[in-house]
Amino acid sequence: MTYSSVVVLYFLSFFTQAQNTIPEVEALLSKMTIEEKIGQLNLVTPGGGIATGSVVSSNVEEKIKAGQVGGLFGIATPERIKKAQDFAVNKTRLGIPLIFGSDIIHGYKTTFPIPLGLAASWDMELLKRTAQIAALEATADGINWNFSPMVDISRDPRWGRTAEGAGEDPYLGSAIAKAMVMGYQGDDLTAENTMMACVKHMALYGASEAGRDYNSVDMSKIRMYNDYFPPYKAAIDAGVGSVMTSFNDIDGIPASGNKWLLTDLLRNQWNFKGFVVSDYTSVNEMIAHGLGDLQAVSALALNAGLDMDMVGEGFLTTLKKSYDEGKVSEAQITNACRRILEAKYKLGLFDDPYRYIDQKRPAKDILRPEHRKIAREAATKSFVLLKKHNNTLPLKKDANIALIGDLANDKTNMLGTWAPTGDFKLSIPILEGFKNVAPNAKISYAKGANITNDSIMAKNVNVFGTTVVLDKRSPEELLAEAVAVAKKADVVVAVVGEAKEMSGESSSKTKIQIPDSQKQLIRALVATGKPVVLVLMSGRPLVIEEEMGLPVSILQVWFPGVEAGNAIADVIFGNYNPAGKLTATWPVNVGQIPIYHSIKNTGRPQPTETFLKFKSSYLDAPNAPLLPFGYGLSYTDFEYTDLKVSKTEIAQNEALSLSVTLKNTGNYDGEEVVQLYLRDVVRSITPPNRVLKGFKKVFLKKGETKTVTLDLKAEDLKFYNANLEFVAEPGDFEVFVGTNSNATQKASFTLK
Ligand code: BGC
């Protein structure tokens, strides 16, 4: 290369860099002292929300006035937010506005089902709509930055935060990540009804060893790239404005100090242009991880590419010293500050720091009746019919019903975990919902059992208010009352499962069955000989082998949100025919975990479920799960026939379309999620037996037949190979289409 071409290149690259920067932000940066820049990297919470660590911020007001705060979270309402913004805008030298964050995980005041439930709808438009409503309501209360979506893949239902994500699958998880980001951010971040999203937790948080929260992660790069990274990347490709790091380590370095993760991958490979915030005190926690003192871990984090420090104040209290000692450079501090200022710019806060602060908006935009309508619809769409028995469901609206269970007449648990902005008092108990939807039914209620009889468990889950109350009556008295009520009814509906904080953050469990107190209740109710319907609540896949073997119908309802009772009644009484599908595999027992559908064949596959020596299997359990990924029944039945591929041979970069005939053969109109799975028969690294590569939700009237088409894009054939290149390798492929991951309609094609 000649000298002059090097000079041209240098100026070109300088020019493109300059083009990508925002002049207003650069002008501001040029005026800022190093202390002011460090101040922007500090994110604090003044309390009043949920503190998810042992530390909360102090002297917030003084710190804002001293220019030591870049953003606040956990505060709301135009009055409070205006007050804080006034301090920043009027009392600091440069008047830089604050950004206001919050955890709006499944709705703001209008609480939707928990994310694992929303995912079970497989309805991307609906998910996007819930995110739009969350953004409208939250921005009405002054918030402009949301710590959502949580897209961590989870294949271990012991992990309590399974509730907060979309389940086990990278393809579905990516579609949901994209829908949520688009819903929150819209196409104009400066609009008063959109907010900046923050995809979390980068990365691999859902793979904590043994499902124990905050535990270590150790994973091959091939698995990271193929199975765990896609949803984060999908959020980034959809333009997410910020990323939150995770608590766990990856290859021995916690995410918040992991340069490979935050710089090489996120910025250099994925081209992420937004800012990265730590999780709650996760910078400080690198001390406990064993990486040094606060100054050392804070410098490590900044050098790794972390921009904002949540709550821990390691940046605020040590970065200047590290700078003076040459351990971090001014350029690094400036870069982090630039990214945070750019986010504020993109939100329109430099034009108007009070853009999201309007006293009139809360009354106008929060809890609009149409939002509750969507919450009800979303809940009905999240439910998964796990078992049908003797056509007990749907119930007649004039039935004589025994409604049993602590959760059946409860408001405190309906919103589920991570709903700090919601108000449980607004939620509809199931008993009330039954009366609303079926006013002519005869409904008798009995508690039947405590959610758990274990007082220590009750204490541990009653952290954010009391949701488990141990009755003054003995378990025997409770049971006897319920059995007596059941005997007088024609049908029993028992609402059983977890209390809301039995899943969620720091709620990992090693026993994931229905609590013993309620298992006993179920047995006693079944023993009455009455038809029994179990309405099952949980924030994770449960072990329900015993219950699946009983003569009962089972409807999984997760935690349905503010419209819980009405939505459950809609489905129980047949106003809506359930169509949800599991997005995480349900194991036979805890010993099968980790468990997921896209398993590999191994060199010694077990041909059937009969144990064979020297095959990959268990002596004491099947390999197959209790309920496969994608599983879910309907009041009607569907029949799949005639799967066809548009071509049996395709070239690289060519797409393919498939068609299948779907018939509603049952007695109800209904929806079905048609699922497409792909198997790459031979490739350079061992392929999974099948991976999800498409889905479509279709409605069919009873008796109706439809041809459903699905597309396989050229990209769907690609995977990350041993060199982590994203490639499609020539050879044979098989496709399976059907009602869940055991889909049996099969076709094949060859990639040339
Ligand atoms: C959680 C995050 C959350 C943050 C702020 C942490 O404990 O892991 O998901 O966004 O707290 O509330």
Side-chain angles (χ1 to χ4, degrees):
M1 202 181 284
T2 60
Y3 174 76
S4 56
S5 57
V6 170
V7 172
V8 169
L9 267 182
Y10 172 79
F11 280 108
L12 258 180
S13 77
F14 180 79
F15 180 69
T16 15
Q17 211 186 336
Q19 246 191 352
N20 286 337
T21 55
I22 298 167
E24 287 88 336
V25 169
E26 297 309 309
L28 192 53
L29 279 169
S30 69
K31 290 187 219 143
M32 291 173 81
T33 64
I34 194 108
E35 285 85 357
E36 283 166 332
K37 288 177 188 169
I38 292 171
Q40 286 300 309
L41 318 187
N42 192 29
L43 174 66
V44 298
T45 177
I50 286 184
T52 49
S54 41
V55 190
V56 284
S57 315
S58 57
N59 303 330
V60 170
E61 184 177 329
E62 291 84 275
K63 281 180 188 148
I64 299 174
K65 291 180 186 159
Q68 294 179 338
V69 176
L72 287 188
F73 73 102
I75 95 162
T77 75
E79 299 77 32
R80 288 192 76 200
I81 288 186
K82 173 162 187 308
K83 203 168 152 206
Q85 195 68 301
D86 277 341
F87 295 143
V89 172
N90 302 326
K91 303 280 185 218
T92 63
R93 187 176 77 94
L94 294 168
I96 300 173
L98 298 166
I99 185 170
F100 292 93
S102 187
D103 285 278
I104 301 145
I105 309 300
H106 47 117
Y108 185 64
K109 277 277 182 295
T110 304
T111 310
F112 299 109
I114 57 165
L116 188 62
L118 280 176
S121 73
W122 296 60
D123 184 335
M124 299 309 115
E125 274 312 307
L126 176 73
L127 276 141
K128 187 171 160 195
R129 187 80 190 101
T130 64
Q132 281 166 342
I133 292 172
L136 176 65
E137 293 195 355
T139 54
D141 236 359
I143 294 157
N144 45 39
W145 178 33
N146 189 13
F147 305 153
S148 173
M150 187 286 218
V151 303
D152 304 316
I153 295 290
S154 165
R155 296 170 168 193
D156 189 332
R158 291 172 298 184
W159 190 51
R161 300 194 83 169
T162 301
E164 264 182 81
E168 73 184 41
D169 186 72
Y171 182 88
L172 180 65
S174 298
I176 291 178
K178 182 176 169 193
M180 298 300 284
V181 170
M182 287 168 64
Y184 292 136
Q185 297 195 162
D187 44 27
D188 176 9
L189 262 183
T190 64
E192 63 159 27
N193 60 352
T194 60
M195 60 186 169
M196 185 169 282
C198 181
V199 66
K200 70 189 190 186
H201 307 83
M202 179 92 184
L204 318 180
Y205 183 27
S208 324
E209 276 180 11
R212 177 157 58 78
D213 213 354
Y214 318 126
N215 203 359
S216 275
V217 172
D218 199 350
M219 188 187 286
S220 72
K221 291 257 161 46
I222 284 187
R223 176 162 281 183
M224 292 181 198
Y225 275 79
N226 283 302
D227 297 355
Y228 281 76
F229 284 162
Y232 307 113
K233 178 151 191 306
I236 284 150
D237 292 344
V240 73
S242 63
V243 168
M244 188 187 294
T245 59
S246 58
F247 290 116
N248 54 282
D249 60 343
I250 295 163
D251 279 339
I253 305 177
S256 302
N258 195 313
K259 186 160 192 230
W260 171 75
L261 185 77
L262 302 184
T263 299
D264 300 352
L265 180 77
L266 186 60
R267 298 213 180 270
N268 298 343
Q269 285 183 40
W270 292 358
N271 210 15
F272 175 61
K273 299 279 183 239
F275 74 101
V276 182
V277 62
S278 78
D279 202 347
Y280 207 103
T281 61
S282 67
V283 173
N284 312 53
E285 289 168 25
M286 290 196 279
I287 304 170
H289 274 287
L291 295 193
D293 62 13
L294 187 59
Q295 185 186 351
V297 296
S298 302
L300 180 75
L302 185 80
N303 286 331
L306 186 84
D307 303 315
M308 196 176 225
D309 178 9
M310 188 193 292
V311 177
E313 301 200 338
F315 277 11
L316 187 73
T317 55
T318 71
L319 278 189
K320 175 66 175 30
K321 183 159 184 270
S322 291
Y323 165 71
D324 291 339
E325 293 169 2
K327 292 177 178 150
V328 301
S329 67
E330 173 153 16
Q332 275 161 325
I333 295 171
T334 306
N335 277 340
C337 182
R338 172 182 292 115
R339 292 178 191 131
I340 291 160
L341 297 180
E342 283 177 351
K344 294 178 179 183
Y345 177 86
K346 287 179 205 155
L347 283 165
L349 292 172
F350 287 130
D351 271 352
D352 176 8
Y354 300 96
R355 182 177 292 271
Y356 300 89
I357 303 172
D358 176 351
Q359 312 280 354
K360 287 190 228 86
R361 278 197 58 202
K364 182 162 68 81
D365 289 334
I366 296 177
L367 284 165
R368 288 188 188 172
E370 69 260 31
H371 296 177
R372 288 197 74 127
K373 245 178 93 189
I374 306 256
R376 183 165 175 170
E377 179 193 332
T380 59
K381 291 190 167 166
S382 74
F383 301 159
V384 185
L385 185 61
L386 300 182
K387 186 164 184 229
K388 298 200 266 192
H389 184 73
N390 279 351
N391 297 321
T392 309
L393 287 174
L395 299 187
K396 295 212 170 58
K397 287 190 179 153
D398 59 359
N400 176 5
I401 303 165
L403 182 61
I404 311 289
D406 201 357
L407 291 164
N409 191 20
D410 168 275
K411 282 179 182 245
T412 62
N413 286 290
M414 296 303 107
L415 304 187
T417 189
W418 263 122
T421 55
D423 177 358
F424 75 85
K425 291 188 222 77
L426 300 173
S427 58
I428 310 285
I430 298 167
L431 178 57
E432 189 179 322
F434 272 37
K435 290 179 180 161
N436 292 341
V437 171
N440 297 327
K442 178 171 185 302
I443 302 166
S444 318
Y445 171 76
K447 175 167 168 176
N450 296 315
I451 295 177
T452 171
N453 289 336
D454 177 346
S455 56
I456 296 174
M457 172 67 85
K459 179 171 156 270
N460 289 343
V461 300
N462 282 342
V463 277
F464 304 129
T466 304
T467 68
V468 177
V469 184
L470 299 190
D471 208 279
K472 291 201 181 61
R473 291 168 290 173
S474 71
E476 293 73 25
E477 280 173 89
L478 290 174
L479 208 62
E481 182 194 39
V483 167
V485 169
K487 281 185 175 158
K488 286 196 214 120
D490 296 333
V491 59
V492 179
V493 178
V495 186
V496 292
E498 296 189 315
K500 77 176 179 82
E501 293 305 326
M502 285 182 179
S503 50
E505 185 169 350
S506 185
S507 293
S508 294
K509 284 171 98 189
T510 62
K511 299 186 200 84
I512 55 169
Q513 73 270 36
I514 298 168
D516 287 335
S517 54
Q518 299 180 73
K519 278 176 87 76
Q520 266 182 22
L521 172 65
I522 295 166
R523 290 184 203 119
L525 294 172
V526 170
T528 63
K530 299 285 179 180
V532 174
V533 176
L534 301 182
V535 172
L536 187 55
M537 244 174 228
S538 72
R540 53 155 63 81
L542 295 176
V543 165
I544 54 164
E545 196 190 12
E546 178 187 351
E547 291 73 21
M548 284 296 285
L550 296 173
V552 296
S553 310
I554 308 181
L555 181 71
Q556 168 66 20
V557 299
W558 316 107
F559 290 96
V562 69
E563 284 289 326
N566 288 333
I568 291 172
D570 279 340
V571 171
I572 292 288
F573 293 103
N575 286 352
Y576 178 76
N577 180 0
K581 301 275 189 176
L582 301 178
T583 64
T585 303
W586 286 42
V588 168
N589 58 32
V590 170
Q592 286 186 322
I593 297 170
I595 191 160
Y596 50 95
H597 73 283
S598 54
I599 50 166
K600 295 182 175 183
N601 208 33
T602 80
R604 294 186 174 194
Q606 183 182 246
T608 68
E609 281 297 354
T610 314
F611 177 80
L612 277 180
K613 194 70 182 167
F614 304 122
K615 296 290 180 193
S616 179
S617 59
Y618 298 106
L619 272 172
D620 60 352
N623 285 2
L626 188 67
L627 301 169
F629 174 83
Y631 175 87
L633 305 174
S634 159
Y635 293 153
T636 193
D637 295 299
F638 294 101
E639 184 187 87
Y640 287 81
T641 51
D642 216 14
L643 174 64
K644 290 199 189 90
V645 283
S646 58
K647 290 176 190 160
T648 51
E649 255 189 25
I650 54 168
Q652 283 278 349
N653 296 322
E654 202 180 336
L656 183 79
S657 92
L658 295 99
S659 70
V660 73
T661 307
L662 182 67
K663 181 166 189 207
N664 180 342
T665 57
N667 296 319
Y668 298 87
D669 300 348
E671 291 159 304
E672 165 74 339
V673 180
V674 177
Q675 300 162 42
L676 184 165
Y677 296 87
L678 183 75
R679 175 175 164 83
D680 192 344
V681 180
V682 174
R683 69 181 202 189
S684 58
I685 59 168
T686 51
N689 285 346
R690 43 177 78 182
V691 286
L692 180 74
K693 285 296 173 191
F695 59 89
K696 200 178 246 181
K697 196 166 186 175
V698 283
F699 173 81
L700 271 80
K701 288 202 139 334
K702 105 177 165 195
E704 190 180 354
T705 301
K706 266 187 188 167
T707 302
V708 181
T709 56
L710 293 151
D711 296 319
L712 259 183
K713 296 184 292 306
E715 193 177 286
D716 295 330
L717 308 188
K718 294 188 178 171
F719 65 98
Y720 289 92
N721 68 12
N723 300 323
L724 302 177
E725 296 146 349
F726 196 48
V727 294
E729 292 177 356
D732 294 340
F733 288 81
E734 292 171 350
V735 279
F736 304 86
V737 173
T739 187
N740 61 47
S741 54
N742 291 336
T744 49
Q745 285 288 306
K746 184 177 163 189
S748 23
F749 66 92
T750 305
L751 174 67
K752 288 202 291 187

